[in-house]
Amino acid sequence: MPSDLWLSMVSLGGVVLGGALSFGVQHQTQRSAERAEERRRGLALAESRRDLNLVVWEGMPDWESVRDHLEANRLAFLDVARVAVG
C-alpha cells in the first residue's frame, strides 16, 4: 500500500509541475506577444505622424502658418455646415 501511495503522489506532483510549467510558458508567450503588438502600434503611430508632418509642412507656403491654414479650413467647414443645417 505505501508504494501505491508514493506512486500516486509522484504522479500528482508531475501533473502539478507540468501544469505550472505550461502556465508559465503560456503567460510569458502572451506577454511577449502583447509587447510586440505595442511596439508595432507605436511604430505605426510614429510613421503616420511623420507622414502627416511631411504633408503639413511641405505643403505650406512660406508666408502661411499651419495655424492659419487650419483655421481657414475650420471656418470653411463651419460655413458649409451652417448652410447645410439652416
Side-chain angles (χ1 to χ4, degrees):
M1 187 72 161
S3 65
D4 290 343
L5 182 61
W6 275 106
L7 183 60
S8 296
M9 294 301 285
V10 169
S11 177
L12 179 62
V15 168
V16 169
L17 180 63
L21 288 174
S22 177
F23 174 79
V25 168
Q26 288 178 1
H27 180 70
Q28 188 64 26
T29 302
Q30 180 65 31
R31 286 184 53 205
S32 176
E34 288 171 356
R35 284 193 304 265
E37 178 65 20
E38 188 64 32
R39 229 180 352 260
R40 186 195 64 76
R41 285 184 185 166
L43 290 173
L45 179 61
E47 180 64 23
S48 66
R49 286 180 177 167
R50 187 182 72 79
D51 290 346
L52 180 62
N53 282 337
L54 287 175
V55 168
V56 169
W57 292 108
E58 292 296 322
M60 297 299 301
D62 291 337
W63 65 89
E64 186 177 19
S65 73
V66 173
R67 184 188 174 284
D68 294 338
H69 183 70
L70 294 175
E71 183 67 14
N73 286 338
R74 184 182 76 84
L75 293 174
F77 172 78
L78 291 175
D79 288 341
V80 170
R82 189 176 307 118
V83 169
V85 170

